[in-house]
mmCIF file of all heavy atoms in Angstrom:
data_model
loop_
_atom_site.group_PDB
_atom_site.id
_atom_site.type_symbol
_atom_site.label_atom_id
_atom_site.label_comp_id
_atom_site.label_asym_id
_atom_site.label_seq_id
_atom_site.Cartn_x
_atom_site.Cartn_y
_atom_site.Cartn_z
ATOM 1 N N ASP A 391 -52.293 49.166 73.612
ATOM 2 C CA ASP A 391 -51.038 49.094 72.888
ATOM 3 C C ASP A 391 -50.055 49.992 73.598
ATOM 4 O O ASP A 391 -48.794 49.667 73.716
ATOM 5 C CB ASP A 391 -51.215 49.604 71.469
ATOM 6 C CG ASP A 391 -51.919 48.568 70.596
ATOM 7 O OD1 ASP A 391 -51.862 47.356 71.005
ATOM 8 O OD2 ASP A 391 -52.451 48.870 69.596
ATOM 9 N N ASP A 392 -50.486 51.200 74.103
ATOM 10 C CA ASP A 392 -49.577 52.113 74.831
ATOM 11 C C ASP A 392 -49.105 51.454 76.094
ATOM 12 O O ASP A 392 -47.944 51.634 76.463
ATOM 13 C CB ASP A 392 -50.322 53.375 75.090
ATOM 14 C CG ASP A 392 -50.685 54.185 73.833
ATOM 15 O OD1 ASP A 392 -50.002 53.965 72.846
ATOM 16 O OD2 ASP A 392 -51.603 55.044 73.952
ATOM 17 N N LEU A 393 -49.990 50.704 76.775
ATOM 18 C CA LEU A 393 -49.584 50.100 78.034
ATOM 19 C C LEU A 393 -48.577 49.023 77.807
ATOM 20 O O LEU A 393 -47.548 48.947 78.522
ATOM 21 C CB LEU A 393 -50.812 49.497 78.734
ATOM 22 C CG LEU A 393 -50.575 48.710 80.022
ATOM 23 C CD1 LEU A 393 -49.812 49.553 81.031
ATOM 24 C CD2 LEU A 393 -51.903 48.294 80.655
ATOM 25 N N LEU A 394 -48.796 48.198 76.771
ATOM 26 C CA LEU A 394 -47.799 47.125 76.481
ATOM 27 C C LEU A 394 -46.526 47.783 76.070
ATOM 28 O O LEU A 394 -45.399 47.295 76.415
ATOM 29 C CB LEU A 394 -48.342 46.254 75.292
ATOM 30 C CG LEU A 394 -49.486 45.305 75.661
ATOM 31 C CD1 LEU A 394 -50.053 44.660 74.451
ATOM 32 C CD2 LEU A 394 -49.001 44.284 76.669
ATOM 33 N N GLN A 395 -46.524 48.888 75.290
ATOM 34 C CA GLN A 395 -45.304 49.521 74.942
ATOM 35 C C GLN A 395 -44.597 50.127 76.166
ATOM 36 O O GLN A 395 -43.355 50.115 76.221
ATOM 37 C CB GLN A 395 -45.580 50.642 73.920
ATOM 38 C CG GLN A 395 -44.360 51.330 73.297
ATOM 39 C CD GLN A 395 -43.564 50.317 72.462
ATOM 40 O OE1 GLN A 395 -44.070 49.380 71.888
ATOM 41 N NE2 GLN A 395 -42.245 50.560 72.481
ATOM 42 N N ALA A 396 -45.335 50.620 77.140
ATOM 43 C CA ALA A 396 -44.688 51.134 78.330
ATOM 44 C C ALA A 396 -44.014 50.021 79.135
ATOM 45 O O ALA A 396 -42.913 50.226 79.746
ATOM 46 C CB ALA A 396 -45.756 51.833 79.197
ATOM 47 N N LEU A 397 -44.623 48.844 79.137
ATOM 48 C CA LEU A 397 -43.966 47.717 79.854
ATOM 49 C C LEU A 397 -42.688 47.340 79.113
ATOM 50 O O LEU A 397 -41.694 47.025 79.751
ATOM 51 C CB LEU A 397 -44.960 46.520 79.881
ATOM 52 C CG LEU A 397 -46.142 46.649 80.790
ATOM 53 C CD1 LEU A 397 -47.199 45.579 80.569
ATOM 54 C CD2 LEU A 397 -45.717 46.621 82.265
ATOM 55 N N ARG A 398 -42.756 47.352 77.761
ATOM 56 C CA ARG A 398 -41.557 47.033 77.033
ATOM 57 C C ARG A 398 -40.412 48.031 77.299
ATOM 58 O O ARG A 398 -39.217 47.699 77.376
ATOM 59 C CB ARG A 398 -41.876 46.980 75.559
ATOM 60 C CG ARG A 398 -42.805 45.883 75.094
ATOM 61 C CD ARG A 398 -42.985 45.870 73.647
ATOM 62 N NE ARG A 398 -44.115 44.947 73.223
ATOM 63 C CZ ARG A 398 -45.237 45.416 72.742
ATOM 64 N NH1 ARG A 398 -45.466 46.704 72.598
ATOM 65 N NH2 ARG A 398 -46.190 44.548 72.434
ATOM 66 N N ARG A 399 -40.812 49.309 77.391
ATOM 67 C CA ARG A 399 -39.743 50.338 77.703
ATOM 68 C C ARG A 399 -39.095 50.125 79.061
ATOM 69 O O ARG A 399 -37.896 50.366 79.229
ATOM 70 C CB ARG A 399 -40.402 51.732 77.571
ATOM 71 C CG ARG A 399 -40.488 52.280 76.176
ATOM 72 C CD ARG A 399 -40.840 53.775 76.154
ATOM 73 N NE ARG A 399 -42.184 53.990 76.528
ATOM 74 C CZ ARG A 399 -43.189 54.024 75.635
ATOM 75 N NH1 ARG A 399 -42.967 53.813 74.378
ATOM 76 N NH2 ARG A 399 -44.437 54.343 76.006
ATOM 77 N N LEU A 400 -39.899 49.685 80.039
ATOM 78 C CA LEU A 400 -39.305 49.376 81.322
ATOM 79 C C LEU A 400 -38.268 48.294 81.176
ATOM 80 O O LEU A 400 -37.148 48.348 81.761
ATOM 81 C CB LEU A 400 -40.443 48.913 82.352
ATOM 82 C CG LEU A 400 -41.153 50.018 83.080
ATOM 83 C CD1 LEU A 400 -42.330 49.399 83.836
ATOM 84 C CD2 LEU A 400 -40.267 50.785 84.006
ATOM 85 N N ARG A 401 -38.578 47.249 80.382
ATOM 86 C CA ARG A 401 -37.636 46.161 80.207
ATOM 87 C C ARG A 401 -36.373 46.637 79.404
ATOM 88 O O ARG A 401 -35.281 46.272 79.708
ATOM 89 C CB ARG A 401 -38.258 45.026 79.453
ATOM 90 C CG ARG A 401 -39.251 44.196 80.335
ATOM 91 C CD ARG A 401 -38.523 43.393 81.372
ATOM 92 N NE ARG A 401 -37.667 42.353 80.870
ATOM 93 C CZ ARG A 401 -36.435 42.181 81.156
ATOM 94 N NH1 ARG A 401 -35.809 42.970 82.032
ATOM 95 N NH2 ARG A 401 -35.666 41.224 80.591
ATOM 96 N N HIS A 402 -36.628 47.484 78.465
ATOM 97 C CA HIS A 402 -35.533 48.019 77.588
ATOM 98 C C HIS A 402 -34.555 48.855 78.501
ATOM 99 O O HIS A 402 -33.361 48.801 78.188
ATOM 100 C CB HIS A 402 -36.083 48.868 76.522
ATOM 101 C CG HIS A 402 -35.017 49.460 75.619
ATOM 102 N ND1 HIS A 402 -34.348 48.669 74.686
ATOM 103 C CD2 HIS A 402 -34.575 50.726 75.476
ATOM 104 C CE1 HIS A 402 -33.495 49.463 74.039
ATOM 105 N NE2 HIS A 402 -33.600 50.706 74.491
ATOM 106 N N ARG A 403 -35.108 49.411 79.556
ATOM 107 C CA ARG A 403 -34.156 50.192 80.412
ATOM 108 C C ARG A 403 -33.464 49.281 81.436
ATOM 109 O O ARG A 403 -32.810 49.776 82.321
ATOM 110 C CB ARG A 403 -34.987 51.276 81.111
ATOM 111 C CG ARG A 403 -35.362 52.424 80.253
ATOM 112 C CD ARG A 403 -36.328 53.436 80.955
ATOM 113 N NE ARG A 403 -36.568 54.605 80.093
ATOM 114 C CZ ARG A 403 -35.996 55.712 80.312
ATOM 115 N NH1 ARG A 403 -35.097 55.909 81.208
ATOM 116 N NH2 ARG A 403 -36.302 56.714 79.501
ATOM 117 N N GLY A 404 -33.699 47.960 81.368
ATOM 118 C CA GLY A 404 -33.008 46.997 82.193
ATOM 119 C C GLY A 404 -33.768 46.668 83.452
ATOM 120 O O GLY A 404 -33.180 45.896 84.303
ATOM 121 N N HIS A 405 -35.020 47.155 83.668
ATOM 122 C CA HIS A 405 -35.749 46.744 84.831
ATOM 123 C C HIS A 405 -36.374 45.398 84.762
ATOM 124 O O HIS A 405 -36.831 45.020 83.610
ATOM 125 C CB HIS A 405 -36.796 47.798 85.165
ATOM 126 C CG HIS A 405 -36.245 49.181 85.319
ATOM 127 N ND1 HIS A 405 -35.357 49.495 86.302
ATOM 128 C CD2 HIS A 405 -36.461 50.313 84.618
ATOM 129 C CE1 HIS A 405 -35.073 50.780 86.198
ATOM 130 N NE2 HIS A 405 -35.690 51.339 85.163
ATOM 131 N N GLU A 406 -36.442 44.614 85.808
ATOM 132 C CA GLU A 406 -37.221 43.360 85.885
ATOM 133 C C GLU A 406 -38.659 43.807 86.188
ATOM 134 O O GLU A 406 -38.833 44.646 87.035
ATOM 135 C CB GLU A 406 -36.658 42.436 86.864
ATOM 136 C CG GLU A 406 -35.186 42.028 86.588
ATOM 137 C CD GLU A 406 -35.079 41.177 85.341
ATOM 138 O OE1 GLU A 406 -36.079 40.561 84.915
ATOM 139 O OE2 GLU A 406 -33.967 41.175 84.797
ATOM 140 N N VAL A 407 -39.629 43.101 85.604
ATOM 141 C CA VAL A 407 -41.010 43.508 85.754
ATOM 142 C C VAL A 407 -41.919 42.327 86.053
ATOM 143 O O VAL A 407 -41.781 41.244 85.407
ATOM 144 C CB VAL A 407 -41.572 44.235 84.464
ATOM 145 C CG1 VAL A 407 -42.986 44.704 84.674
ATOM 146 C CG2 VAL A 407 -40.703 45.393 84.010
ATOM 147 N N ILE A 408 -42.811 42.487 87.076
ATOM 148 C CA ILE A 408 -43.867 41.541 87.307
ATOM 149 C C ILE A 408 -45.199 42.315 87.255
ATOM 150 O O ILE A 408 -45.339 43.440 87.792
ATOM 151 C CB ILE A 408 -43.798 40.956 88.702
ATOM 152 C CG1 ILE A 408 -42.451 40.188 88.899
ATOM 153 C CG2 ILE A 408 -44.946 40.007 88.991
ATOM 154 C CD1 ILE A 408 -42.225 39.683 90.318
ATOM 155 N N VAL A 409 -46.161 41.734 86.470
ATOM 156 C CA VAL A 409 -47.527 42.372 86.415
ATOM 157 C C VAL A 409 -48.499 41.453 87.142
ATOM 158 O O VAL A 409 -48.615 40.295 86.811
ATOM 159 C CB VAL A 409 -47.969 42.528 84.928
ATOM 160 C CG1 VAL A 409 -49.380 43.086 84.881
ATOM 161 C CG2 VAL A 409 -47.019 43.444 84.188
ATOM 162 N N PHE A 410 -49.097 42.011 88.215
ATOM 163 C CA PHE A 410 -50.220 41.300 88.882
ATOM 164 C C PHE A 410 -51.531 41.864 88.427
ATOM 165 O O PHE A 410 -51.889 42.991 88.743
ATOM 166 C CB PHE A 410 -50.047 41.406 90.460
ATOM 167 C CG PHE A 410 -48.884 40.629 91.005
ATOM 168 C CD1 PHE A 410 -47.936 41.242 91.804
ATOM 169 C CD2 PHE A 410 -48.833 39.255 90.797
ATOM 170 C CE1 PHE A 410 -46.884 40.508 92.337
ATOM 171 C CE2 PHE A 410 -47.810 38.503 91.288
ATOM 172 C CZ PHE A 410 -46.855 39.156 92.080
ATOM 173 N N HIS A 411 -52.194 41.060 87.617
ATOM 174 C CA HIS A 411 -53.527 41.507 87.078
ATOM 175 C C HIS A 411 -54.618 41.088 88.009
ATOM 176 O O HIS A 411 -54.925 39.914 88.185
ATOM 177 C CB HIS A 411 -53.695 40.837 85.730
ATOM 178 C CG HIS A 411 -54.939 41.240 85.005
ATOM 179 N ND1 HIS A 411 -55.611 40.478 84.108
ATOM 180 C CD2 HIS A 411 -55.661 42.331 85.118
ATOM 181 C CE1 HIS A 411 -56.665 41.085 83.648
ATOM 182 N NE2 HIS A 411 -56.754 42.248 84.291
ATOM 183 N N VAL A 412 -55.183 42.075 88.741
ATOM 184 C CA VAL A 412 -56.102 41.813 89.863
ATOM 185 C C VAL A 412 -57.525 42.006 89.367
ATOM 186 O O VAL A 412 -57.939 43.103 88.922
ATOM 187 C CB VAL A 412 -55.843 42.750 91.030
ATOM 188 C CG1 VAL A 412 -56.822 42.513 92.179
ATOM 189 C CG2 VAL A 412 -54.371 42.596 91.506
ATOM 190 N N LEU A 413 -58.331 40.984 89.425
ATOM 191 C CA LEU A 413 -59.778 41.013 89.149
ATOM 192 C C LEU A 413 -60.565 40.257 90.208
ATOM 193 O O LEU A 413 -60.035 39.459 90.878
ATOM 194 C CB LEU A 413 -60.048 40.384 87.775
ATOM 195 C CG LEU A 413 -59.535 41.120 86.524
ATOM 196 C CD1 LEU A 413 -59.916 40.291 85.312
ATOM 197 C CD2 LEU A 413 -60.075 42.518 86.341
ATOM 198 N N GLU A 414 -61.894 40.679 90.318
ATOM 199 C CA GLU A 414 -62.803 39.853 91.157
ATOM 200 C C GLU A 414 -63.304 38.762 90.196
ATOM 201 O O GLU A 414 -64.080 39.063 89.273
ATOM 202 C CB GLU A 414 -63.910 40.754 91.668
ATOM 203 C CG GLU A 414 -64.760 40.088 92.756
ATOM 204 C CD GLU A 414 -65.764 39.132 92.204
ATOM 205 O OE1 GLU A 414 -66.550 39.511 91.283
ATOM 206 O OE2 GLU A 414 -65.784 37.961 92.638
ATOM 207 N N GLY A 415 -62.935 37.498 90.469
ATOM 208 C CA GLY A 415 -63.147 36.455 89.452
ATOM 209 C C GLY A 415 -64.593 36.132 89.133
ATOM 210 O O GLY A 415 -64.906 35.856 88.003
ATOM 211 N N GLU A 416 -65.411 36.125 90.108
ATOM 212 C CA GLU A 416 -66.799 35.687 89.890
ATOM 213 C C GLU A 416 -67.569 36.558 88.892
ATOM 214 O O GLU A 416 -68.187 36.020 88.019
ATOM 215 C CB GLU A 416 -67.575 35.600 91.210
ATOM 216 C CG GLU A 416 -68.886 34.915 91.164
ATOM 217 C CD GLU A 416 -68.809 33.452 90.846
ATOM 218 O OE1 GLU A 416 -67.728 32.856 90.908
ATOM 219 O OE2 GLU A 416 -69.900 32.862 90.625
ATOM 220 N N THR A 417 -67.405 37.891 89.052
ATOM 221 C CA THR A 417 -68.205 38.756 88.209
ATOM 222 C C THR A 417 -67.373 39.339 87.137
ATOM 223 O O THR A 417 -67.821 39.435 85.975
ATOM 224 C CB THR A 417 -68.868 39.871 89.071
ATOM 225 O OG1 THR A 417 -67.822 40.571 89.770
ATOM 226 C CG2 THR A 417 -69.846 39.316 90.031
ATOM 227 N N GLU A 418 -66.125 39.781 87.370
ATOM 228 C CA GLU A 418 -65.340 40.442 86.397
ATOM 229 C C GLU A 418 -64.732 39.506 85.378
ATOM 230 O O GLU A 418 -64.587 39.890 84.206
ATOM 231 C CB GLU A 418 -64.230 41.288 87.035
ATOM 232 C CG GLU A 418 -64.770 42.565 87.690
ATOM 233 C CD GLU A 418 -63.592 43.445 88.152
ATOM 234 O OE1 GLU A 418 -62.651 42.999 88.780
ATOM 235 O OE2 GLU A 418 -63.631 44.627 87.834
ATOM 236 N N ARG A 419 -64.388 38.310 85.818
ATOM 237 C CA ARG A 419 -63.784 37.364 84.830
ATOM 238 C C ARG A 419 -64.814 36.438 84.252
ATOM 239 O O ARG A 419 -64.693 36.130 83.090
ATOM 240 C CB ARG A 419 -62.686 36.590 85.564
ATOM 241 C CG ARG A 419 -61.789 35.868 84.663
ATOM 242 C CD ARG A 419 -60.617 35.228 85.300
ATOM 243 N NE ARG A 419 -59.685 36.169 85.959
ATOM 244 C CZ ARG A 419 -58.752 36.838 85.271
ATOM 245 N NH1 ARG A 419 -58.574 36.685 83.959
ATOM 246 N NH2 ARG A 419 -57.960 37.681 85.907
ATOM 247 N N ARG A 420 -65.747 35.975 85.065
ATOM 248 C CA ARG A 420 -66.724 34.973 84.619
ATOM 249 C C ARG A 420 -68.141 35.585 84.322
ATOM 250 O O ARG A 420 -69.045 34.922 83.823
ATOM 251 C CB ARG A 420 -66.826 33.890 85.636
ATOM 252 C CG ARG A 420 -65.547 33.089 85.670
ATOM 253 C CD ARG A 420 -65.650 31.895 86.691
ATOM 254 N NE ARG A 420 -65.632 32.338 88.028
ATOM 255 C CZ ARG A 420 -64.523 32.591 88.760
ATOM 256 N NH1 ARG A 420 -63.346 32.502 88.200
ATOM 257 N NH2 ARG A 420 -64.571 33.050 90.006
ATOM 258 N N PHE A 421 -68.400 36.886 84.727
ATOM 259 C CA PHE A 421 -69.676 37.626 84.499
ATOM 260 C C PHE A 421 -70.852 36.882 85.087
ATOM 261 O O PHE A 421 -71.903 36.740 84.492
ATOM 262 C CB PHE A 421 -69.833 37.803 82.983
ATOM 263 C CG PHE A 421 -70.564 39.073 82.672
ATOM 264 C CD1 PHE A 421 -70.094 40.301 83.067
ATOM 265 C CD2 PHE A 421 -71.759 39.032 81.978
ATOM 266 C CE1 PHE A 421 -70.764 41.460 82.738
ATOM 267 C CE2 PHE A 421 -72.450 40.180 81.676
ATOM 268 C CZ PHE A 421 -71.908 41.429 82.018
ATOM 269 N N GLN A 422 -70.650 36.301 86.261
ATOM 270 C CA GLN A 422 -71.755 35.596 86.929
ATOM 271 C C GLN A 422 -72.642 36.546 87.732
ATOM 272 O O GLN A 422 -72.590 36.647 88.985
ATOM 273 C CB GLN A 422 -71.134 34.504 87.881
ATOM 274 C CG GLN A 422 -70.346 33.456 87.122
ATOM 275 C CD GLN A 422 -71.264 32.569 86.236
ATOM 276 O OE1 GLN A 422 -72.491 32.450 86.480
ATOM 277 N NE2 GLN A 422 -70.695 32.104 85.185
ATOM 278 N N PHE A 423 -73.486 37.166 87.034
ATOM 279 C CA PHE A 423 -74.483 38.033 87.640
ATOM 280 C C PHE A 423 -75.889 37.411 87.549
ATOM 281 O O PHE A 423 -76.048 36.482 86.737
ATOM 282 C CB PHE A 423 -74.588 39.378 86.919
ATOM 283 C CG PHE A 423 -73.360 40.251 87.113
ATOM 284 C CD1 PHE A 423 -72.357 40.351 86.187
ATOM 285 C CD2 PHE A 423 -73.265 41.069 88.281
ATOM 286 C CE1 PHE A 423 -71.221 41.151 86.410
ATOM 287 C CE2 PHE A 423 -72.155 41.906 88.483
ATOM 288 C CZ PHE A 423 -71.141 41.922 87.577
ATOM 289 N N PRO A 424 -76.880 37.800 88.333
ATOM 290 C CA PRO A 424 -78.205 37.195 88.212
ATOM 291 C C PRO A 424 -78.771 37.374 86.830
ATOM 292 O O PRO A 424 -78.465 38.352 86.172
ATOM 293 C CB PRO A 424 -79.009 38.024 89.275
ATOM 294 C CG PRO A 424 -77.978 38.492 90.250
ATOM 295 C CD PRO A 424 -76.720 38.794 89.457
ATOM 296 N N ASN A 425 -79.641 36.450 86.433
ATOM 297 C CA ASN A 425 -80.163 36.433 85.080
ATOM 298 C C ASN A 425 -81.415 37.344 85.143
ATOM 299 O O ASN A 425 -82.540 36.900 84.983
ATOM 300 C CB ASN A 425 -80.489 35.031 84.673
ATOM 301 C CG ASN A 425 -79.239 34.228 84.410
ATOM 302 O OD1 ASN A 425 -78.225 34.732 83.964
ATOM 303 N ND2 ASN A 425 -79.297 32.952 84.747
ATOM 304 N N ALA A 426 -81.163 38.594 85.203
ATOM 305 C CA ALA A 426 -82.245 39.622 85.199
ATOM 306 C C ALA A 426 -81.624 40.886 84.689
ATOM 307 O O ALA A 426 -80.448 41.074 84.763
ATOM 308 C CB ALA A 426 -82.811 39.828 86.605
ATOM 309 N N PRO A 427 -82.438 41.748 84.070
ATOM 310 C CA PRO A 427 -81.880 43.063 83.594
ATOM 311 C C PRO A 427 -81.218 43.859 84.716
ATOM 312 O O PRO A 427 -81.720 43.929 85.785
ATOM 313 C CB PRO A 427 -83.154 43.792 83.099
ATOM 314 C CG PRO A 427 -84.122 42.678 82.747
ATOM 315 C CD PRO A 427 -83.902 41.609 83.794
ATOM 316 N N MET A 428 -79.985 44.321 84.400
ATOM 317 C CA MET A 428 -79.221 44.974 85.384
ATOM 318 C C MET A 428 -78.610 46.238 84.784
ATOM 319 O O MET A 428 -78.295 46.335 83.580
ATOM 320 C CB MET A 428 -78.062 44.072 85.901
ATOM 321 C CG MET A 428 -78.582 42.812 86.622
ATOM 322 S SD MET A 428 -77.190 41.900 87.364
ATOM 323 C CE MET A 428 -76.680 42.998 88.693
ATOM 324 N N LEU A 429 -78.425 47.259 85.603
ATOM 325 C CA LEU A 429 -77.735 48.493 85.290
ATOM 326 C C LEU A 429 -76.245 48.393 85.599
ATOM 327 O O LEU A 429 -76.004 48.252 86.747
ATOM 328 C CB LEU A 429 -78.432 49.672 85.927
ATOM 329 C CG LEU A 429 -77.870 51.040 85.640
ATOM 330 C CD1 LEU A 429 -78.056 51.440 84.153
ATOM 331 C CD2 LEU A 429 -78.367 52.147 86.582
ATOM 332 N N PHE A 430 -75.430 48.604 84.559
ATOM 333 C CA PHE A 430 -74.000 48.572 84.760
ATOM 334 C C PHE A 430 -73.440 49.995 84.576
ATOM 335 O O PHE A 430 -73.875 50.702 83.650
ATOM 336 C CB PHE A 430 -73.268 47.624 83.827
ATOM 337 C CG PHE A 430 -73.623 46.166 84.118
ATOM 338 C CD1 PHE A 430 -74.763 45.602 83.654
ATOM 339 C CD2 PHE A 430 -72.733 45.457 84.843
ATOM 340 C CE1 PHE A 430 -75.065 44.283 83.997
ATOM 341 C CE2 PHE A 430 -72.968 44.086 85.166
ATOM 342 C CZ PHE A 430 -74.172 43.531 84.666
ATOM 343 N N ARG A 431 -72.499 50.376 85.427
ATOM 344 C CA ARG A 431 -71.950 51.703 85.326
ATOM 345 C C ARG A 431 -70.403 51.578 85.241
ATOM 346 O O ARG A 431 -69.763 50.858 86.085
ATOM 347 C CB ARG A 431 -72.279 52.543 86.508
ATOM 348 C CG ARG A 431 -71.651 53.966 86.567
ATOM 349 C CD ARG A 431 -72.111 54.667 87.860
ATOM 350 N NE ARG A 431 -71.403 56.018 87.936
ATOM 351 C CZ ARG A 431 -70.236 56.176 88.490
ATOM 352 N NH1 ARG A 431 -69.579 55.118 89.054
ATOM 353 N NH2 ARG A 431 -69.659 57.409 88.506
ATOM 354 N N ASP A 432 -69.754 52.216 84.248
ATOM 355 C CA ASP A 432 -68.317 52.258 84.130
ATOM 356 C C ASP A 432 -67.790 53.139 85.237
ATOM 357 O O ASP A 432 -68.076 54.352 85.315
ATOM 358 C CB ASP A 432 -67.982 52.774 82.782
ATOM 359 C CG ASP A 432 -66.523 52.644 82.468
ATOM 360 O OD1 ASP A 432 -65.666 53.011 83.331
ATOM 361 O OD2 ASP A 432 -66.168 52.284 81.329
ATOM 362 N N ALA A 433 -66.910 52.521 86.091
ATOM 363 C CA ALA A 433 -66.365 53.277 87.214
ATOM 364 C C ALA A 433 -65.475 54.417 86.779
ATOM 365 O O ALA A 433 -65.198 55.355 87.490
ATOM 366 C CB ALA A 433 -65.602 52.306 88.162
ATOM 367 N N GLU A 434 -64.881 54.329 85.570
ATOM 368 C CA GLU A 434 -63.886 55.339 85.103
ATOM 369 C C GLU A 434 -64.564 56.502 84.322
ATOM 370 O O GLU A 434 -64.151 57.566 84.427
ATOM 371 C CB GLU A 434 -62.816 54.669 84.389
ATOM 372 C CG GLU A 434 -62.186 53.488 85.061
ATOM 373 C CD GLU A 434 -60.692 53.740 85.413
ATOM 374 O OE1 GLU A 434 -60.101 54.506 84.760
ATOM 375 O OE2 GLU A 434 -60.275 53.164 86.442
#
């Protein structure tokens, strides 16, 4: 919600905005990992 509000504030100040949402499609968008138990780690 804070991020969306920040984007709105940029527009409110008169700036034009483009958001490029970058993901690795095979695993991050479609979750195509091998069908076996896997250990996942949050990078952040």
Side-chain angles (χ1 to χ4, degrees):
D391 287 339
D392 293 338
L393 177 52
L394 288 170
Q395 188 62 33
L397 289 169
R398 295 185 191 108
R399 278 192 287 270
L400 276 172
R401 286 292 294 129
H402 181 71
R403 288 173 176 260
H405 303 299
E406 300 295 336
V407 183
I408 300 175
V409 177
F410 287 125
H411 184 206
V412 181
L413 292 179
E414 192 281 307
E416 188 69 8
T417 57
E418 287 190 310
R419 194 174 294 281
R420 294 180 288 277
F421 212 59
Q422 295 295 333
F423 290 99
N425 292 325
M428 298 186 69
L429 177 67
F430 290 83
R431 177 180 176 273
D432 188 315
E434 307 247 332

